Amino acid sequence: VELDILSTVGLDFMEPGHTGNQVDQLFSILTREFKSKMNCPDDLVQKIRNSPILPKPEVEELLYSYDWRSFVGPNLSGKKLQNHSFFFSFFLKKENGLAVFRGKKYPFNVEWTPESGIMLLKSNVEFVPVEASDFRIETLCIDKVFSDLYTKFFPTLETNERKIAEASWERLRTVLENLPKQQRNLAPMKILSFPKQFAPQPAVVPQYLDPYLNCETPELIGQICNVEPTESQFQTDIQSGMDIAVYTESKKDRPWLGRVLDIQEGGKTSQKQWFKRKGLNFPSSNQ
């Protein structure tokens, strides 16, 4: 947002809990498949592809990720973001050259808070390319895993199954152990090179529709619904920011036009800003 790659960003989250939607059913099917016999990593991919899910899943590989935390950590604004876990809807927008962050409890709520917005990043951040994150394969304890495979698992398989399983696991081991060597050759994420979002262009009306755009439309006629005005409960209906008009018995200077600034005592009293008429029309100045 700050680089004008996107004009705005909105995020909505569901409250924690059981959704009971189709996603749960799909994961239930995969869980059942994973509990069946698997000898090697290739079996896992095949079980996903052959699972009774419609439409059939497409298996894709995430080859590497970017070390976003190392980049954004030193560039965050001074004050730590707090209480955001109590909100489920967020909005980012650029204002006065800065990307500001606001939230609201639920998506259907109207007001975003805080009114002035929160600055997540420091000013004048240098958006340098973000390198690939470390693979941390040492946390996989590969030597221990393969020691157990060769001493405890592979001996339980038939000869043909063992050959297939050993080849599959060794291919995976080779890929994993070569990842740190490839890290320097992986393309970084160049944020400044991201394509920018363009404002949508207005639709062009085809020429053959021109006669329909310029033709006169007759007035819509029917029984008019006349509703008699009723007196509202001012103490109940009054709201901060509401524009009000007061008609006095004296015709001079009426109506009084103003705006409610603050409400006290549950609506019994309120602070208002009145406007003074200038000339014959209603451009007004604060009084």
Side-chain angles (χ1 to χ4, degrees):
V1 174
E2 189 155 326
L3 295 176
D4 297 317
I5 295 171
L6 296 173
S7 57
T8 60
V9 173
L11 297 172
D12 292 322
F13 298 91
M14 296 182 66
E15 284 197 81
H18 184 69
T19 56
N21 59 18
Q22 293 179 345
V23 176
D24 295 328
Q25 181 185 12
L26 298 183
F27 279 115
S28 176
I29 294 174
L30 292 177
T31 300
R32 185 172 64 250
E33 292 293 323
F34 295 161
K35 289 181 179 179
S36 59
K37 183 179 179 180
M38 286 190 293
N39 294 336
C40 59
D42 292 340
D43 289 346
L44 175 63
V45 177
Q46 290 302 320
K47 285 186 177 295
I48 296 176
R49 287 176 173 161
N50 298 332
S51 60
I53 295 177
L54 293 176
K56 288 295 182 181
E58 295 182 7
V59 179
E60 297 184 4
E61 297 175 312
L62 178 64
L63 300 179
Y64 64 97
S65 60
Y66 296 104
D67 194 5
W68 179 254
R69 176 178 293 183
S70 297
F71 165 75
V72 78
N75 292 314
L76 290 175
S77 59
K79 192 170 183 179
K80 183 180 179 181
L81 186 66
Q82 300 179 44
N83 299 328
H84 50 282
S85 59
F86 295 95
F87 295 77
F88 300 97
S89 190
F90 303 97
F91 191 70
L92 272 165
K93 183 181 180 182
K94 191 172 183 179
E95 297 177 2
N96 300 320
L98 294 174
V100 294
F101 179 80
R102 296 183 178 90
K104 56 185 180 180
K105 179 69 174 178
Y106 298 112
F108 53 77
N109 293 133
V110 177
E111 295 184 2
W112 295 93
T113 59
E115 184 177 352
S116 58
I118 293 175
M119 187 173 67
L120 296 179
L121 296 178
K122 297 177 181 178
S123 301
N124 302 319
V125 172
E126 184 181 359
F127 290 92
V128 297
V130 182
E131 301 294 337
S133 56
D134 294 333
F135 290 100
R136 300 193 298 257
I137 64 168
E138 65 277 0
T139 62
L140 300 177
C141 302
I142 292 179
D143 291 338
K144 177 65 169 61
V145 170
F146 275 81
S147 175
D148 289 344
L149 284 172
Y150 277 97
T151 59
K152 300 178 181 179
F153 179 65
F154 291 154
T156 65
L157 302 177
E158 298 291 338
T159 303
N160 291 335
E161 287 183 338
R162 176 168 181 165
K163 290 181 179 180
I164 296 173
E166 286 181 358
S168 177
W169 280 104
E170 288 296 341
R171 284 195 299 271
L172 177 61
R173 181 176 191 171
T174 301
V175 171
L176 293 175
E177 291 180 342
N178 286 331
L179 285 177
K181 302 175 185 177
Q182 301 173 8
Q183 185 174 358
R184 296 180 180 178
N185 299 326
L186 297 176
M189 177 173 61
K190 299 179 180 180
I191 305 175
L192 295 176
S193 299
F194 284 2
K196 295 189 177 182
Q197 183 185 48
F198 293 99
Q201 298 297 322
V204 178
V205 180
Q207 291 184 354
Y208 65 84
L209 293 179
D210 287 345
Y212 301 96
L213 297 177
N214 301 322
C215 64
E216 294 185 2
T217 303
E219 181 183 358
L220 187 63
I221 299 176
Q223 179 62 47
I224 302 299
C225 179
N226 293 316
V227 180
E228 293 294 329
T230 59
E231 294 184 2
S232 63
Q233 300 295 324
F234 188 74
Q235 181 175 330
T236 304
D237 297 340
I238 189 173
Q239 296 180 10
S240 180
M242 175 186 290
D243 292 331
I244 57 177
V246 178
Y247 279 80
T248 60
E249 293 183 358
S250 173
K251 295 183 179 181
K252 183 180 179 181
D253 294 331
R254 79 177 188 185
W256 296 0
L257 301 178
R259 179 167 297 157
V260 179
L261 299 180
D262 191 23
I263 302 172
Q264 299 95 20
E265 301 180 19
K268 293 181 180 180
T269 60
S270 59
Q271 181 182 359
K272 306 175 187 68
Q273 180 183 22
W274 297 105
F275 300 98
K276 183 177 180 180
R277 183 196 297 266
K278 291 183 64 177
L280 298 177
N281 297 319
F282 277 96
S284 55
S285 60
N286 296 348
Q287 182 178 354

